[in-house]
Amino acid sequence: MGLILRHMERVFGLGVVPLAAGTVGLLILLKMIQRLRHKQDLQDKVVVITGASSGLGKECARVFHAAGARLILCGREQKRLQEVVEELRNQSSGKIQTYSPCTVTFDLSNTSLVSSAAEEILKCHGHVDVLINNAGISYRGNILDTHVSVQRDVMETNYFGPVALTQAILPSMVDRRSGHIVVISSVQGKISIPYRSAYSASKHATQAYFDCLRAEVGRFGLQVSVISPGYIRTNLSINAVTGDGSKYGVMDKTTAKGSDPVDVARAVLKAVCHQQKDVVLAGLLPTAAIYLRALWPALYFRLMGSRAIKEQRVKEE
Ligand SMILES: NC(=O)c1ccc[n+]([C@@H]2O[C@H](COP(=O)([O-])OP(=O)(O)OC[C@H]3O[C@@H](n4cnc5c(N)ncnc54)[C@H](OP(=O)(O)O)[C@@H]3O)[C@@H](O)[C@H]2O)c1
Ligand SMILES: *[C@@H]1O[C@H](CO)[C@@H](O)[C@H](O)[C@H]1NC(C)=O
Ligand SMILES: *[C@@H]1O[C@H](CO)[C@@H](O)[C@H](O)[C@H]1NC(C)=O
Ligand SMILES: *[C@@H]1O[C@H](CO)[C@@H](O)[C@H](O)[C@H]1NC(C)=O
């Protein structure tokens, strides 16, 4: 080994260790330059966040506010949004200039309300730089006992709402040849698990639509990011609907043990800054399941079949 090193030293005229260290250093520097070149600064950017009254949306509001963005917060209740605004107004930031957010209230599940809401959103600052489609509702239920109207309602909020809002904001982004559209999907937008039909279907549709959008608007210089988190510690399961449309109202163990919404919000900020196109934010097991579904579907279907039987047994006990 020593002999080889000494031989190489003679060949290169300098030590191998400094040479290797120099190469690694150069690679790191190149990577940093590349990152900086693509890094989008959020100072003064107009950022719209739907579902900003709670959970992940509220954390995104905190994180983007602290980065100096001019926020437009959306939700169904003015009072809850106003509480977030108050809290952010109190949040002082050192060097970064921060702005007091605007609010726009509307129900995403009613597409006839979305276009007038989009007009109101565009009036706040005249344009939108980043649209974060975060609002959503979950579902728990057996397909046999689920009304088709519930399947449709979840689709209205999780799929048609973001689609209508995106299409209402899109022309102004195309005109300016600038804009970034983010959607919070889920690991369940990549794989379905039993007793989540409506939710998983709405997130699969979301993934498909925004992948298509990315391809179509790339030529205008627009960015599209699909974020697929695993469980996050929010009120999502409490707010979920069941097969008859009533509220589920339970904090599931999986949700309670999920990621900290602050970490997920930071990952959303990173995805925007670094223009990441598709981000899965999940542990080893859900990530492996996504690959399994693609590479060995038969095994995936068998595993989900046993999981469905096991969960049904637990419910009946
Ligand atoms: N928590 C998780 O485990 C998890 C995992 C993966 C993905 N996600 C996704 O993350 C996103 C945020 O969910 P979260 O976990 O933060 O849940 P959450 O705490 O229940 O927040 C949901 C937000 O969506 C808004 N919203 C619900 N229905 C709406 C409607 N019809 N019109 C307008 N706004 C509506 C709610 O606002 P108002 O009630 O004030 O209107 C609320 O701010 C969702 O898209 C969810 O699917 C969550
Ligand atoms: C979750 O719901 C509880 C009441 O059910 C409420 O006190 C809490 O503020 C909610 N959390 C968020 C982040 O909205
Ligand atoms: C904001 O700060 C004021 C006083 O500085 C305090 O009374 C109020 O409770 C704070 N509001 C929130 C939402 O943190
Ligand atoms: C949707 O909004 C329109 C306009 O306000 C209203 O007339 C209609 O009743 C709403 N639809 C539903 C299902 O709430």
Side-chain angles (χ1 to χ4, degrees):
M1 189 65 196
L3 197 73
I4 298 173
L5 278 179
R6 239 175 292 136
H7 182 69
M8 283 176 74
E9 265 177 43
R10 226 176 298 134
V11 171
F12 294 111
L14 73 162
V16 170
V17 173
L19 191 73
T23 310
V24 170
L26 193 70
L27 285 176
I28 291 173
L29 194 71
L30 280 175
K31 187 85 197 157
M32 276 166 69
I33 291 170
Q34 196 189 12
R35 284 201 142 204
L36 280 178
R37 209 158 53 91
H38 289 297
K39 192 167 159 72
Q40 154 134 15
D41 186 6
L42 282 158
Q43 181 73 66
D44 303 341
K45 289 283 190 288
V46 178
V47 178
V48 179
I49 304 173
T50 67
S53 57
S54 143
L56 178 58
K58 194 174 177 177
E59 288 308 333
C60 283
R62 289 192 179 119
V63 167
F64 280 80
H65 171 81
R70 290 184 282 172
L71 295 182
I72 302 168
L73 306 180
C74 307
R76 282 171 298 185
E77 270 179 62
Q78 180 57 25
K79 192 174 150 278
R80 295 181 66 200
L81 291 176
Q82 205 50 43
E83 279 167 18
V84 181
V85 171
E86 297 285 306
E87 190 201 307
L88 295 182
R89 275 198 193 128
N90 280 2
Q91 211 181 69
S92 63
S93 231
K95 259 189 273 168
I96 289 170
Q97 177 176 9
T98 56
Y99 297 91
S100 180
C102 305
T103 59
V104 177
T105 49
F106 62 101
D107 185 340
L108 262 174
S109 68
N110 186 339
T111 37
S112 55
L113 298 174
V114 176
S115 55
S116 57
E119 272 173 38
E120 212 180 312
I121 286 170
L122 283 167
K123 266 196 216 131
C124 294
H125 298 289
H127 73 278
V128 170
D129 291 300
V130 183
L131 167 62
I132 304 178
N133 289 297
N134 160 79
I137 189 161
S138 197
Y139 152 89
R140 299 284 185 278
N142 188 320
I143 288 175
L144 271 173
D145 305 325
T146 297
H147 301 194
V148 175
S149 64
V150 170
Q151 297 280 1
R152 197 183 291 275
D153 288 346
V154 173
M155 212 65 175
E156 292 290 353
T157 302
N158 290 2
Y159 178 69
F160 287 108
V163 164
L165 185 61
T166 299
Q167 291 196 190
I169 303 282
L170 195 61
S172 66
M173 288 184 168
V174 170
D175 283 346
R176 298 179 74 237
R177 293 289 190 272
S178 161
H180 194 140
I181 294 160
V182 179
V183 65
I184 309 300
S185 180
S186 163
V187 165
Q188 291 180 58
K190 307 240 180 222
I191 51 171
S192 301
I193 61 175
Y195 309 116
R196 303 290 167 85
S197 57
Y199 183 73
S200 197
S202 72
K203 295 297 188 181
H204 272 69
T206 296
Q207 175 88 50
Y209 174 90
F210 285 92
D211 278 353
C212 203
L213 181 71
R214 183 188 302 110
E216 291 186 25
V217 299
R219 68 194 176 99
F220 302 115
L222 308 192
Q223 301 290 327
V224 175
S225 302
V226 178
I227 316 285
S228 302
Y231 294 110
I232 316 169
R233 213 180 314 129
T234 68
N235 281 352
L236 188 76
S237 77
I238 294 177
N239 296 333
V241 287
T242 64
D244 61 9
S246 62
K247 200 169 152 173
Y248 178 62
V250 178
M251 174 58 98
D252 276 350
K253 265 196 211 124
T254 45
T255 309
K257 283 194 294 189
S259 322
D260 188 332
V262 183
D263 294 332
V264 182
R266 289 202 185 112
V268 174
L269 181 83
K270 183 171 165 242
V272 171
C273 289
H274 296 292
Q275 309 186 332
Q276 294 171 317
K277 292 176 169 58
D278 194 72
V279 184
V280 175
L281 300 167
L284 195 62
L285 215 61
T287 307
I290 294 171
Y291 285 102
L292 187 67
R293 169 68 180 83
L295 300 173
W296 194 358
L299 179 60
Y300 177 83
F301 298 147
R302 240 173 81 186
L303 290 172
M304 288 303 127
S306 346
R307 180 174 167 160
I309 291 165
K310 215 168 95 190
E311 279 185 25
Q312 192 58 42
R313 231 179 258 141
V314 170
K315 253 178 257 162
E316 280 162 4
E317 264 160 20

